[in-house]
Amino acid sequence: MSVEANKTIVRGYVDAILVKRDFSKFNEFTAPGFYIDRSAVPEAIKGENALHSQMDMLYGAFPDLDLQIVDLVAEGDKVVVRFAAPGTHKNTFAGIEATGKTATWKGIVMYHVLDGKITEAWANWDDYGLLEQLR
Amino acid sequence: MNQLQQNKSTIIRFFECFSNDANLEFEENWIHKDVQFILSFAHVDGLTQVRNLIQKERSVFENLKYTIIDSGLVLEEFSGAAFWLMTGKQVVSWNGIPATCNEINVSGASLFSFDVDGKIKEIRIQIDLLSLMSQINGITKLYNF
Protein backbone atom coordinates (compact mmCIF):
# COMPACT_ATOMS: atom_id res chain seq x y z
CA MET A 1 0.00 0.00 0.00
CA SER A 2 1.20 3.52 -0.70
CA VAL A 3 1.74 6.12 2.00
CA GLU A 4 -1.26 8.05 0.68
CA ALA A 5 -3.42 4.91 0.87
CA ASN A 6 -2.33 4.37 4.47
CA LYS A 7 -3.25 7.96 5.29
CA THR A 8 -6.69 7.40 3.77
CA ILE A 9 -7.19 4.26 5.89
CA VAL A 10 -6.29 6.11 9.08
CA ARG A 11 -8.54 9.04 8.22
CA GLY A 12 -11.34 6.56 7.54
CA TYR A 13 -10.76 4.79 10.85
CA VAL A 14 -10.80 8.06 12.78
CA ASP A 15 -14.00 9.23 11.12
CA ALA A 16 -15.90 5.93 11.27
CA ILE A 17 -14.75 4.52 14.60
CA LEU A 18 -13.57 7.42 16.76
CA VAL A 19 -15.91 10.17 15.54
CA LYS A 20 -19.09 8.44 14.32
CA ARG A 21 -18.51 5.40 16.54
CA ASP A 22 -19.84 3.06 13.86
CA PHE A 23 -18.29 -0.13 15.22
CA SER A 24 -19.89 -2.18 12.44
CA LYS A 25 -16.90 -0.92 10.41
CA PHE A 26 -14.27 -1.85 13.01
CA ASN A 27 -13.03 -4.90 11.07
CA GLU A 28 -12.94 -2.89 7.86
CA PHE A 29 -10.15 -0.75 9.28
CA THR A 30 -8.37 -2.92 11.82
CA ALA A 31 -6.50 -6.22 11.69
CA PRO A 32 -7.16 -9.11 14.08
CA GLY A 33 -5.21 -8.50 17.28
CA PHE A 34 -5.47 -4.72 16.94
CA TYR A 35 -4.53 -2.88 20.12
CA ILE A 36 -3.82 0.62 21.36
CA ASP A 37 -0.83 1.14 23.62
CA ARG A 38 -1.70 4.14 25.79
CA SER A 39 1.26 5.51 27.69
CA ALA A 40 -0.78 6.65 30.68
CA VAL A 41 -2.72 3.40 31.02
CA PRO A 42 -0.95 0.22 32.17
CA GLU A 43 -3.07 -2.12 30.08
CA ALA A 44 -3.35 -1.79 26.32
CA ILE A 45 -6.80 -1.30 24.83
CA LYS A 46 -7.28 -4.60 23.02
CA GLY A 47 -9.91 -5.12 20.36
CA GLU A 48 -13.30 -3.76 19.47
CA ASN A 49 -15.11 -4.09 22.80
CA ALA A 50 -12.36 -2.42 24.80
CA LEU A 51 -12.19 0.52 22.42
CA HIS A 52 -15.97 0.77 22.28
CA SER A 53 -16.09 1.00 26.09
CA GLN A 54 -13.42 3.70 26.10
CA MET A 55 -15.24 5.77 23.52
CA ASP A 56 -18.57 5.38 25.33
CA MET A 57 -16.93 6.58 28.54
CA LEU A 58 -15.33 9.54 26.81
CA TYR A 59 -18.39 10.68 24.87
CA GLY A 60 -20.51 10.05 27.98
CA ALA A 61 -18.46 12.63 29.85
CA PHE A 62 -18.04 14.97 26.87
CA PRO A 63 -21.14 14.43 24.67
CA ASP A 64 -20.18 17.13 22.17
CA LEU A 65 -16.56 15.98 21.85
CA ASP A 66 -15.23 17.16 18.48
CA LEU A 67 -12.30 14.91 17.62
CA GLN A 68 -10.26 16.64 14.92
CA ILE A 69 -7.18 15.63 12.95
CA VAL A 70 -5.01 18.74 12.96
CA ASP A 71 -1.80 17.28 11.58
CA LEU A 72 -0.77 14.10 9.82
CA VAL A 73 2.70 12.72 8.99
CA ALA A 74 3.33 9.39 7.28
CA GLU A 75 6.20 7.29 6.02
CA GLY A 76 6.15 3.68 4.91
CA ASP A 77 3.63 1.76 7.00
CA LYS A 78 3.40 4.36 9.77
CA VAL A 79 0.91 7.23 10.03
CA VAL A 80 1.15 9.75 12.84
CA VAL A 81 -1.85 11.91 13.72
CA ARG A 82 -1.97 14.94 15.97
CA PHE A 83 -5.43 15.32 17.45
CA ALA A 84 -7.31 18.14 19.14
CA ALA A 85 -10.63 17.29 20.75
CA PRO A 86 -12.61 20.10 22.35
CA GLY A 87 -15.69 19.13 24.34
CA THR A 88 -17.95 20.19 27.18
CA HIS A 89 -17.59 18.34 30.48
CA LYS A 90 -21.21 17.34 31.14
CA ASN A 91 -20.82 14.13 33.13
CA THR A 92 -18.34 12.58 35.55
CA PHE A 93 -14.88 11.99 34.11
CA ALA A 94 -11.98 10.38 35.99
CA GLY A 95 -13.90 10.86 39.22
CA ILE A 96 -14.50 14.56 38.56
CA GLU A 97 -18.16 15.52 38.51
CA ALA A 98 -19.48 17.60 35.63
CA THR A 99 -18.07 21.12 35.62
CA GLY A 100 -19.72 22.44 32.46
CA LYS A 101 -16.31 23.62 31.32
CA THR A 102 -15.11 23.32 27.75
CA ALA A 103 -11.78 21.56 27.62
CA THR A 104 -9.54 20.43 24.77
CA TRP A 105 -7.93 17.02 24.92
CA LYS A 106 -4.80 16.78 22.78
CA GLY A 107 -2.84 13.80 21.62
CA ILE A 108 -0.38 12.34 19.15
CA VAL A 109 -0.95 8.79 17.92
CA MET A 110 1.11 6.58 15.64
CA TYR A 111 -0.81 4.00 13.61
CA HIS A 112 0.87 1.00 12.03
CA VAL A 113 -0.86 -0.01 8.80
CA LEU A 114 -0.17 -3.35 7.14
CA ASP A 115 -1.95 -4.57 4.00
CA GLY A 116 -4.71 -2.02 4.36
CA LYS A 117 -5.48 -2.65 8.05
CA ILE A 118 -4.36 -0.94 11.23
CA THR A 119 -2.51 -3.44 13.40
CA GLU A 120 -1.58 -1.26 16.36
CA ALA A 121 -1.55 2.29 17.68
CA TRP A 122 0.81 4.04 20.06
CA ALA A 123 -1.10 6.82 21.73
CA ASN A 124 0.15 9.70 23.81
CA TRP A 125 -2.80 11.78 25.05
CA ASP A 126 -2.53 14.74 27.36
CA ASP A 127 -4.69 13.35 30.16
CA TYR A 128 -3.03 15.60 32.71
CA GLY A 129 -3.72 18.71 30.65
CA LEU A 130 -7.35 17.67 30.27
CA LEU A 131 -7.77 17.20 34.02
CA GLU A 132 -6.06 20.51 34.71
CA GLN A 133 -8.60 22.26 32.48
CA LEU A 134 -11.40 20.81 34.62
CA ARG A 135 -9.97 22.18 37.86
CA MET B 1 22.07 13.03 2.12
CA ASN B 2 18.47 13.38 0.92
CA GLN B 3 15.86 15.56 2.65
CA LEU B 4 14.38 12.75 4.76
CA GLN B 5 17.80 11.68 6.00
CA GLN B 6 18.62 15.30 6.79
CA ASN B 7 15.36 15.71 8.74
CA LYS B 8 16.13 12.52 10.66
CA SER B 9 19.59 13.76 11.52
CA THR B 10 18.17 17.12 12.63
CA ILE B 11 15.57 15.54 14.92
CA ILE B 12 18.17 13.27 16.53
CA ARG B 13 20.45 16.26 17.00
CA PHE B 14 17.65 18.23 18.65
CA PHE B 15 17.00 15.54 21.26
CA GLU B 16 20.71 15.20 21.94
CA CYS B 17 20.69 18.86 23.05
CA PHE B 18 18.79 17.88 26.20
CA SER B 19 21.66 15.75 27.47
CA ASN B 20 23.58 17.48 30.22
CA ASP B 21 26.86 17.47 28.38
CA ALA B 22 25.50 18.75 25.06
CA ASN B 23 26.51 22.09 23.62
CA LEU B 24 23.62 24.55 23.54
CA GLU B 25 25.29 26.97 21.17
CA PHE B 26 22.94 25.96 18.38
CA GLU B 27 24.10 26.50 14.87
CA GLU B 28 21.26 28.20 13.12
CA ASN B 29 21.73 26.09 10.00
CA TRP B 30 19.46 23.40 11.44
CA ILE B 31 17.03 25.22 13.73
CA HIS B 32 15.23 28.47 12.94
CA LYS B 33 15.95 31.43 15.24
CA ASP B 34 12.18 32.02 15.56
CA VAL B 35 11.40 28.36 16.28
CA GLN B 36 8.13 27.74 18.10
CA PHE B 37 8.26 25.11 20.85
CA ILE B 38 4.73 24.24 21.90
CA LEU B 39 3.95 22.10 24.94
CA SER B 40 0.55 21.55 26.50
CA PHE B 41 1.60 23.75 29.42
CA ALA B 42 3.92 26.25 27.73
CA HIS B 43 4.53 28.03 24.43
CA VAL B 44 8.16 28.95 23.97
CA ASP B 45 8.93 31.54 21.31
CA GLY B 46 12.36 31.67 19.69
CA LEU B 47 15.70 29.96 19.96
CA THR B 48 16.87 31.87 23.03
CA GLN B 49 13.82 30.80 25.00
CA VAL B 50 14.17 27.21 23.76
CA ARG B 51 17.73 27.23 25.02
CA ASN B 52 16.54 28.56 28.39
CA LEU B 53 13.88 25.87 28.62
CA ILE B 54 16.39 23.12 27.87
CA GLN B 55 18.75 24.50 30.52
CA LYS B 56 15.90 24.58 33.04
CA GLU B 57 14.92 20.98 32.25
CA ARG B 58 18.53 19.89 32.65
CA SER B 59 18.71 21.56 36.05
CA VAL B 60 15.46 19.91 37.25
CA PHE B 61 16.22 16.43 35.95
CA GLU B 62 19.72 15.12 36.55
CA ASN B 63 21.12 12.90 33.80
CA LEU B 64 18.30 13.99 31.53
CA LYS B 65 18.11 11.93 28.37
CA TYR B 66 15.66 11.58 25.50
CA THR B 67 15.79 8.28 23.63
CA ILE B 68 13.88 7.86 20.40
CA ILE B 69 12.25 4.46 20.53
CA ASP B 70 12.75 1.82 17.84
CA SER B 71 10.50 2.52 14.86
CA GLY B 72 9.56 5.79 16.53
CA LEU B 73 10.63 8.13 13.74
CA VAL B 74 8.37 9.09 10.86
CA LEU B 75 9.61 11.53 8.25
CA GLU B 76 8.23 13.59 5.41
CA GLU B 77 9.89 16.36 3.39
CA PHE B 78 8.63 19.20 5.59
CA SER B 79 7.57 17.40 8.75
CA GLY B 80 8.52 14.61 11.08
CA ALA B 81 7.32 12.77 14.16
CA ALA B 82 9.29 11.17 16.95
CA PHE B 83 8.15 8.93 19.80
CA TRP B 84 10.57 8.92 22.71
CA LEU B 85 11.34 8.11 26.32
CA MET B 86 12.58 10.73 28.75
CA THR B 87 14.66 9.59 31.71
CA GLY B 88 16.39 11.39 34.56
CA LYS B 89 16.19 12.15 38.26
CA GLN B 90 14.14 15.05 39.67
CA VAL B 91 16.58 17.01 41.81
CA VAL B 92 14.90 20.44 41.78
CA SER B 93 11.28 21.56 42.38
CA TRP B 94 9.18 21.26 39.23
CA ASN B 95 5.58 22.33 38.54
CA GLY B 96 5.08 22.98 42.24
CA ILE B 97 6.42 19.58 43.27
CA PRO B 98 9.47 19.73 45.56
CA ALA B 99 12.52 17.72 44.56
CA THR B 100 11.92 14.02 45.17
CA CYS B 101 15.19 12.59 43.82
CA ASN B 102 12.93 10.05 42.13
CA GLU B 103 14.04 8.50 38.86
CA ILE B 104 11.56 9.24 36.09
CA ASN B 105 10.78 7.34 32.92
CA VAL B 106 8.17 9.07 30.80
CA SER B 107 7.04 8.64 27.21
CA GLY B 108 6.15 11.35 24.75
CA ALA B 109 5.81 12.28 21.14
CA SER B 110 6.82 15.30 19.10
CA LEU B 111 5.84 16.66 15.73
CA PHE B 112 8.40 18.75 13.86
CA SER B 113 7.84 21.21 11.02
CA PHE B 114 10.72 22.18 8.74
CA ASP B 115 11.11 25.21 6.53
CA VAL B 116 12.25 25.03 2.91
CA ASP B 117 15.88 25.15 4.05
CA GLY B 118 15.43 22.10 6.27
CA LYS B 119 15.51 24.07 9.54
CA ILE B 120 13.17 23.19 12.38
CA LYS B 121 10.55 25.95 12.57
CA GLU B 122 8.01 24.39 14.97
CA ILE B 123 8.00 21.56 17.50
CA ARG B 124 4.84 20.34 19.18
CA ILE B 125 5.45 18.19 22.20
CA GLN B 126 3.13 15.73 23.85
CA ILE B 127 4.46 14.31 27.08
CA ASP B 128 2.73 11.88 29.41
CA LEU B 129 2.48 14.39 32.24
CA LEU B 130 0.11 12.19 34.20
CA SER B 131 2.80 9.54 34.51
CA LEU B 132 5.47 12.13 35.21
CA MET B 133 3.40 13.71 37.97
CA SER B 134 2.68 10.28 39.39
CA GLN B 135 6.39 9.41 39.42
CA ILE B 136 7.25 12.60 41.35
CA ASN B 137 4.34 12.24 43.80
CA GLY B 138 2.32 15.05 42.20
CA ILE B 139 -1.01 13.36 41.68
CA THR B 140 -2.37 14.46 45.06
CA LYS B 141 -1.81 18.04 43.93
CA LEU B 142 -3.75 17.37 40.75
CA TYR B 143 -6.83 16.15 42.58
CA ASN B 144 -6.59 18.66 45.43
CA PHE B 145 -9.11 21.08 43.85
PDB file of all heavy atoms in Angstrom, chain A residues 35-54:
ATOM      1  N   TYR A  35      -4.562  -3.419  18.764  1.00  0.00           N
ATOM      2  CA  TYR A  35      -4.535  -2.885  20.120  1.00  0.00           C
ATOM      3  C   TYR A  35      -4.007  -1.457  20.102  1.00  0.00           C
ATOM      4  O   TYR A  35      -3.352  -1.026  19.143  1.00  0.00           O
ATOM      5  CB  TYR A  35      -3.655  -3.756  21.041  1.00  0.00           C
ATOM      6  CG  TYR A  35      -2.190  -3.675  20.744  1.00  0.00           C
ATOM      7  CD1 TYR A  35      -1.369  -2.770  21.416  1.00  0.00           C
ATOM      8  CD2 TYR A  35      -1.615  -4.481  19.776  1.00  0.00           C
ATOM      9  CE1 TYR A  35      -0.014  -2.681  21.135  1.00  0.00           C
ATOM     10  CE2 TYR A  35      -0.263  -4.390  19.485  1.00  0.00           C
ATOM     11  CZ  TYR A  35       0.530  -3.499  20.169  1.00  0.00           C
ATOM     12  OH  TYR A  35       1.864  -3.400  19.868  1.00  0.00           O
ATOM     13  N   ILE A  36      -4.324  -0.740  21.184  1.00  0.00           N
ATOM     14  CA  ILE A  36      -3.823   0.622  21.364  1.00  0.00           C
ATOM     15  C   ILE A  36      -2.993   0.644  22.640  1.00  0.00           C
ATOM     16  O   ILE A  36      -3.492   0.336  23.723  1.00  0.00           O
ATOM     17  CB  ILE A  36      -4.983   1.641  21.486  1.00  0.00           C
ATOM     18  CG1 ILE A  36      -5.875   1.589  20.248  1.00  0.00           C
ATOM     19  CG2 ILE A  36      -4.424   3.053  21.703  1.00  0.00           C
ATOM     20  CD1 ILE A  36      -7.159   2.404  20.384  1.00  0.00           C
ATOM     21  N   ASP A  37      -1.727   0.997  22.468  1.00  0.00           N
ATOM     22  CA  ASP A  37      -0.832   1.137  23.621  1.00  0.00           C
ATOM     23  C   ASP A  37      -0.931   2.584  24.091  1.00  0.00           C
ATOM     24  O   ASP A  37      -0.490   3.496  23.402  1.00  0.00           O
ATOM     25  CB  ASP A  37       0.597   0.795  23.191  1.00  0.00           C
ATOM     26  CG  ASP A  37       1.584   0.856  24.351  1.00  0.00           C
ATOM     27  OD1 ASP A  37       1.290   1.542  25.346  1.00  0.00           O
ATOM     28  OD2 ASP A  37       2.646   0.234  24.249  1.00  0.00           O
ATOM     29  N   ARG A  38      -1.543   2.787  25.258  1.00  0.00           N
ATOM     30  CA  ARG A  38      -1.698   4.136  25.793  1.00  0.00           C
ATOM     31  C   ARG A  38      -0.698   4.327  26.913  1.00  0.00           C
ATOM     32  O   ARG A  38      -0.709   3.610  27.908  1.00  0.00           O
ATOM     33  CB  ARG A  38      -3.114   4.364  26.310  1.00  0.00           C
ATOM     34  CG  ARG A  38      -4.104   4.587  25.188  1.00  0.00           C
ATOM     35  CD  ARG A  38      -5.121   5.638  25.525  1.00  0.00           C
ATOM     36  NE  ARG A  38      -4.559   6.778  26.204  1.00  0.00           N
ATOM     37  CZ  ARG A  38      -5.213   7.511  27.103  1.00  0.00           C
ATOM     38  NH1 ARG A  38      -6.445   7.202  27.411  1.00  0.00           N
ATOM     39  NH2 ARG A  38      -4.640   8.533  27.682  1.00  0.00           N
ATOM     40  N   SER A  39       0.155   5.325  26.747  1.00  0.00           N
ATOM     41  CA  SER A  39       1.262   5.510  27.686  1.00  0.00           C
ATOM     42  C   SER A  39       0.791   5.663  29.122  1.00  0.00           C
ATOM     43  O   SER A  39       1.428   5.181  30.043  1.00  0.00           O
ATOM     44  CB  SER A  39       2.076   6.724  27.269  1.00  0.00           C
ATOM     45  OG  SER A  39       1.265   7.881  27.243  1.00  0.00           O
ATOM     46  N   ALA A  40      -0.338   6.346  29.322  1.00  0.00           N
ATOM     47  CA  ALA A  40      -0.780   6.649  30.682  1.00  0.00           C
ATOM     48  C   ALA A  40      -1.575   5.504  31.317  1.00  0.00           C
ATOM     49  O   ALA A  40      -1.910   5.561  32.496  1.00  0.00           O
ATOM     50  CB  ALA A  40      -1.627   7.914  30.683  1.00  0.00           C
ATOM     51  N   VAL A  41      -1.887   4.497  30.532  1.00  0.00           N
ATOM     52  CA  VAL A  41      -2.724   3.405  31.020  1.00  0.00           C
ATOM     53  C   VAL A  41      -1.906   2.124  30.996  1.00  0.00           C
ATOM     54  O   VAL A  41      -1.333   1.774  29.959  1.00  0.00           O
ATOM     55  CB  VAL A  41      -3.986   3.242  30.134  1.00  0.00           C
ATOM     56  CG1 VAL A  41      -4.873   2.124  30.631  1.00  0.00           C
ATOM     57  CG2 VAL A  41      -4.755   4.550  30.074  1.00  0.00           C
ATOM     58  N   PRO A  42      -1.820   1.413  32.121  1.00  0.00           N
ATOM     59  CA  PRO A  42      -0.951   0.225  32.175  1.00  0.00           C
ATOM     60  C   PRO A  42      -1.313  -0.851  31.156  1.00  0.00           C
ATOM     61  O   PRO A  42      -0.439  -1.454  30.559  1.00  0.00           O
ATOM     62  CB  PRO A  42      -1.142  -0.300  33.606  1.00  0.00           C
ATOM     63  CG  PRO A  42      -1.789   0.803  34.362  1.00  0.00           C
ATOM     64  CD  PRO A  42      -2.493   1.679  33.395  1.00  0.00           C
ATOM     65  N   GLU A  43      -2.619  -1.068  30.992  1.00  0.00           N
ATOM     66  CA  GLU A  43      -3.069  -2.123  30.082  1.00  0.00           C
ATOM     67  C   GLU A  43      -3.395  -1.536  28.721  1.00  0.00           C
ATOM     68  O   GLU A  43      -4.033  -0.488  28.632  1.00  0.00           O
ATOM     69  CB  GLU A  43      -4.331  -2.782  30.646  1.00  0.00           C
ATOM     70  CG  GLU A  43      -4.134  -3.492  31.966  1.00  0.00           C
ATOM     71  CD  GLU A  43      -3.823  -4.957  31.792  1.00  0.00           C
ATOM     72  OE1 GLU A  43      -4.337  -5.544  30.833  1.00  0.00           O
ATOM     73  OE2 GLU A  43      -3.071  -5.501  32.611  1.00  0.00           O
ATOM     74  N   ALA A  44      -2.989  -2.233  27.669  1.00  0.00           N
ATOM     75  CA  ALA A  44      -3.354  -1.790  26.323  1.00  0.00           C
ATOM     76  C   ALA A  44      -4.860  -1.955  26.119  1.00  0.00           C
ATOM     77  O   ALA A  44      -5.510  -2.766  26.780  1.00  0.00           O
ATOM     78  CB  ALA A  44      -2.585  -2.612  25.296  1.00  0.00           C
ATOM     79  N   ILE A  45      -5.400  -1.158  25.225  1.00  0.00           N
ATOM     80  CA  ILE A  45      -6.804  -1.298  24.825  1.00  0.00           C
ATOM     81  C   ILE A  45      -6.812  -2.329  23.700  1.00  0.00           C
ATOM     82  O   ILE A  45      -6.290  -2.057  22.607  1.00  0.00           O
ATOM     83  CB  ILE A  45      -7.373   0.053  24.357  1.00  0.00           C
ATOM     84  CG1 ILE A  45      -7.314   1.077  25.492  1.00  0.00           C
ATOM     85  CG2 ILE A  45      -8.792  -0.111  23.840  1.00  0.00           C
ATOM     86  CD1 ILE A  45      -7.560   2.507  25.043  1.00  0.00           C
ATOM     87  N   LYS A  46      -7.371  -3.498  23.979  1.00  0.00           N
ATOM     88  CA  LYS A  46      -7.281  -4.597  23.016  1.00  0.00           C
ATOM     89  C   LYS A  46      -8.639  -4.889  22.387  1.00  0.00           C
ATOM     90  O   LYS A  46      -9.581  -5.273  23.093  1.00  0.00           O
ATOM     91  CB  LYS A  46      -6.762  -5.857  23.703  1.00  0.00           C
ATOM     92  CG  LYS A  46      -5.328  -5.730  24.215  1.00  0.00           C
ATOM     93  CD  LYS A  46      -4.889  -6.987  24.936  1.00  0.00           C
ATOM     94  CE  LYS A  46      -3.486  -6.822  25.493  1.00  0.00           C
ATOM     95  NZ  LYS A  46      -3.097  -7.911  26.389  1.00  0.00           N
ATOM     96  N   GLY A  47      -8.735  -4.696  21.090  1.00  0.00           N
ATOM     97  CA  GLY A  47      -9.915  -5.124  20.355  1.00  0.00           C
ATOM     98  C   GLY A  47     -11.079  -4.162  20.394  1.00  0.00           C
ATOM     99  O   GLY A  47     -11.052  -3.104  21.027  1.00  0.00           O
ATOM    100  N   GLU A  48     -12.127  -4.605  19.697  1.00  0.00           N
ATOM    101  CA  GLU A  48     -13.305  -3.763  19.470  1.00  0.00           C
ATOM    102  C   GLU A  48     -14.029  -3.394  20.759  1.00  0.00           C
ATOM    103  O   GLU A  48     -14.344  -2.213  20.992  1.00  0.00           O
ATOM    104  CB  GLU A  48     -14.269  -4.510  18.525  1.00  0.00           C
ATOM    105  CG  GLU A  48     -15.552  -3.754  18.264  1.00  0.00           C
ATOM    106  CD  GLU A  48     -16.488  -4.520  17.331  1.00  0.00           C
ATOM    107  OE1 GLU A  48     -16.037  -5.504  16.703  1.00  0.00           O
ATOM    108  OE2 GLU A  48     -17.665  -4.129  17.246  1.00  0.00           O
ATOM    109  N   ASN A  49     -14.303  -4.372  21.606  1.00  0.00           N
ATOM    110  CA  ASN A  49     -15.106  -4.088  22.797  1.00  0.00           C
ATOM    111  C   ASN A  49     -14.408  -3.125  23.750  1.00  0.00           C
ATOM    112  O   ASN A  49     -15.044  -2.224  24.329  1.00  0.00           O
ATOM    113  CB  ASN A  49     -15.443  -5.395  23.534  1.00  0.00           C
ATOM    114  CG  ASN A  49     -16.410  -6.256  22.745  1.00  0.00           C
ATOM    115  OD1 ASN A  49     -17.114  -5.753  21.864  1.00  0.00           O
ATOM    116  ND2 ASN A  49     -16.441  -7.542  23.045  1.00  0.00           N
ATOM    117  N   ALA A  50     -13.109  -3.303  23.895  1.00  0.00           N
ATOM    118  CA  ALA A  50     -12.365  -2.419  24.799  1.00  0.00           C
ATOM    119  C   ALA A  50     -12.370  -0.986  24.286  1.00  0.00           C
ATOM    120  O   ALA A  50     -12.551  -0.036  25.053  1.00  0.00           O
ATOM    121  CB  ALA A  50     -10.931  -2.925  24.946  1.00  0.00           C
ATOM    122  N   LEU A  51     -12.181  -0.836  22.979  1.00  0.00           N
ATOM    123  CA  LEU A  51     -12.188   0.520  22.418  1.00  0.00           C
ATOM    124  C   LEU A  51     -13.585   1.124  22.487  1.00  0.00           C
ATOM    125  O   LEU A  51     -13.749   2.313  22.811  1.00  0.00           O
ATOM    126  CB  LEU A  51     -11.691   0.501  20.966  1.00  0.00           C
ATOM    127  CG  LEU A  51     -11.622   1.871  20.288  1.00  0.00           C
ATOM    128  CD1 LEU A  51     -10.742   2.843  21.063  1.00  0.00           C
ATOM    129  CD2 LEU A  51     -11.117   1.745  18.853  1.00  0.00           C
ATOM    130  N   HIS A  52     -14.581   0.298  22.217  1.00  0.00           N
ATOM    131  CA  HIS A  52     -15.975   0.773  22.283  1.00  0.00           C
ATOM    132  C   HIS A  52     -16.281   1.299  23.696  1.00  0.00           C
ATOM    133  O   HIS A  52     -16.882   2.376  23.852  1.00  0.00           O
ATOM    134  CB  HIS A  52     -16.922  -0.376  21.918  1.00  0.00           C
ATOM    135  CG  HIS A  52     -18.231   0.098  21.374  1.00  0.00           C
ATOM    136  ND1 HIS A  52     -19.027  -0.649  20.553  1.00  0.00           N
ATOM    137  CD2 HIS A  52     -18.904   1.258  21.561  1.00  0.00           C
ATOM    138  CE1 HIS A  52     -20.110   0.019  20.238  1.00  0.00           C
ATOM    139  NE2 HIS A  52     -20.067   1.186  20.836  1.00  0.00           N
ATOM    140  N   SER A  53     -15.863   0.573  24.705  1.00  0.00           N
ATOM    141  CA  SER A  53     -16.087   1.003  26.094  1.00  0.00           C
ATOM    142  C   SER A  53     -15.396   2.331  26.379  1.00  0.00           C
ATOM    143  O   SER A  53     -15.963   3.222  27.021  1.00  0.00           O
ATOM    144  CB  SER A  53     -15.558  -0.041  27.079  1.00  0.00           C
ATOM    145  OG  SER A  53     -16.261  -1.232  26.944  1.00  0.00           O
ATOM    146  N   GLN A  54     -14.155   2.449  25.899  1.00  0.00           N
ATOM    147  CA  GLN A  54     -13.417   3.698  26.103  1.00  0.00           C
ATOM    148  C   GLN A  54     -14.126   4.876  25.456  1.00  0.00           C
ATOM    149  O   GLN A  54     -14.249   5.958  26.043  1.00  0.00           O
ATOM    150  CB  GLN A  54     -12.007   3.566  25.495  1.00  0.00           C
ATOM    151  CG  GLN A  54     -11.063   2.720  26.300  1.00  0.00           C
ATOM    152  CD  GLN A  54     -10.541   3.462  27.515  1.00  0.00           C
ATOM    153  OE1 GLN A  54     -10.185   4.628  27.428  1.00  0.00           O
ATOM    154  NE2 GLN A  54     -10.511   2.798  28.654  1.00  0.00           N
TER     155      GLN A  54
END
